[in-house]
Amino acid sequence: MVSGRSSTARRRAPLALKILVAGGFGVGKTTLVGAVSEIRPLRTEEDLSEVGRPVDDTGGVEAKTTTTVAMDFGRITLREDLVLYLFGTPGQDRFWFLWDELAQGSLGAVVLADTRRLADSFAAVDYFERRGIPFTVAVNCFEGTERFPATSVRAALDLDAAVPLLLCDARERESVKTVLVTVVEHALDLVDPGHRHATT
């Protein structure tokens, strides 16, 4: 009698991809990771202190009371055979030394932007451009803030025409999933332009 493997045993392990979530201080990176993670997100947040006020620019995000000091981590299964591991980077200049370590092995990145503090996105855009890491810009549409056309934001950030730019709500799971699908497809297009999109 020949014993056969079960269908479960024959299934291949899902493809696991690493995606960074970067951007300025207070832009919503922790919120974005938490909105889609199917596991309890790992967060390394600390309370803002008086000591840090001279270096943590809270202009435009005065209500923010905590900050990420290492990373956020979450996981989302886009399909049965495709899992994303999300790593949210710290936003302040003094923690940028962690970015190189977090970026190792990443397929691509999301640069989360806030139109109230758009200049805070320049460092992340420049980082990924210089290292050749595919990225998508996602403009987090905060309540009560003025909305700008995507073309205006693209021009302000001086983005290459090939870089996807979307408007999103970092609190909404489906909105964030759209951003993640976009960055995965963009990165895979650059690696293999003839591929069949892994997320469709």
Side-chain angles (χ1 to χ4, degrees), residues 66-118:
T66 60
T67 184
T68 298
V69 296
M71 68 172 185
D72 297 310
F73 173 77
R75 183 188 71 201
I76 177 175
T77 302
L78 288 183
R79 284 193 340 194
E80 185 178 274
D81 59 350
L82 180 60
V83 175
L84 300 186
Y85 290 98
L86 308 177
F87 291 79
T89 66
Q92 302 97 310
D93 299 13
R94 67 183 188 277
F95 295 125
W96 283 352
F97 67 91
L98 295 169
W99 284 35
D100 286 340
E101 187 171 340
L102 291 174
Q104 290 183 17
S106 62
L107 174 75
V110 175
V111 175
L112 197 59
D114 178 353
T115 55
R116 298 170 300 180
R117 298 156 56 100
L118 203 55

Side-chain angles (χ1 to χ4, degrees), residues 3 21 26 38 41 48 111 121 127 146 148 151 163 174 187 199:
S3 61
V21 180
E38 61 200 15
L48 290 173
V111 175
S121 305
Y127 181 89
E146 185 177 356
F148 296 92
T151 52
V163 175
E174 290 306 312
T199 51

Side-chain angles (χ1 to χ4, degrees), residues 7-23:
S7 59
T8 302
R10 285 196 301 266
R11 277 193 204 120
R12 294 173 59 184
L15 176 64
L17 302 176
K18 180 180 182 180
I19 301 293
L20 297 187
V21 180

Side-chain angles (χ1 to χ4, degrees), residues 48-56:
L48 290 173
S49 66
E50 288 300 321
V51 175
R53 289 197 181 279
V55 289
D56 293 334

